[in-house]
Amino acid sequence: MGKRLRRGKRQKKFLADERFATKVIVAIGITTAIFIAAQYVSFLITGIEQTTLITYYFTAVVIECGALMLKRVSEIIVARVKKKEEIEPETETDESEVL
């Protein structure tokens, strides 16, 4: 019984899986909405648009989203290569058994 209780209380390790990208995209969306609202309020108060800040913010967001896209594309390519490597030996043995 003691072992079962200990198993349930293990902490999960942080792994960069498919959900990680989704969480980052949601975080980027939320921070972008907050940023836009803050810039709008700032513009209403001061009458001056912070163009440099806006430019750098969206440049950083584009770089982050591009990096996530490259990560996802590389994961897909690696998965396809691994799948192809596992299928080829099986099909060769299946064909040789039939002959």
Side-chain angles (χ1 to χ4, degrees), residues 5-88:
L5 291 175
R6 289 181 188 164
R7 278 187 178 172
K9 292 185 179 182
R10 285 186 187 171
Q11 292 181 354
K12 293 182 180 180
K13 293 181 181 178
F14 176 76
L15 298 174
D17 59 357
E18 296 86 24
R19 294 181 185 155
F20 174 74
T22 305
K23 290 177 184 177
V24 171
I25 295 295
V26 169
I28 288 173
I30 291 170
T31 56
T32 301
I34 293 169
F35 178 78
I36 290 171
Q39 289 303 309
Y40 184 69
V41 170
S42 171
F43 177 73
L44 290 176
I45 293 171
T46 62
I48 300 170
E49 187 176 329
Q50 302 294 325
T51 55
T52 305
L53 180 62
I54 293 169
T55 301
Y56 285 132
Y57 176 81
F58 283 104
T59 300
V61 167
V62 167
I63 290 171
E64 286 294 322
C65 290
L68 286 172
M69 184 175 61
L70 285 175
K71 177 185 174 288
R72 182 66 182 143
V73 168
S74 66
E75 287 174 351
I76 291 171
I77 291 170
V78 168
R80 286 186 181 174
V81 167
K82 285 183 179 180
K83 185 177 179 182
K84 196 174 200 180
E85 287 176 356
E86 290 175 5
I87 290 175
E88 286 178 1

Side-chain angles (χ1 to χ4, degrees), residues 86-97:
E86 290 175 5
I87 290 175
E88 286 178 1
E90 292 176 5
T91 55
E92 289 175 6
T93 55
D94 292 341
E95 290 174 2
S96 62
E97 290 175 6

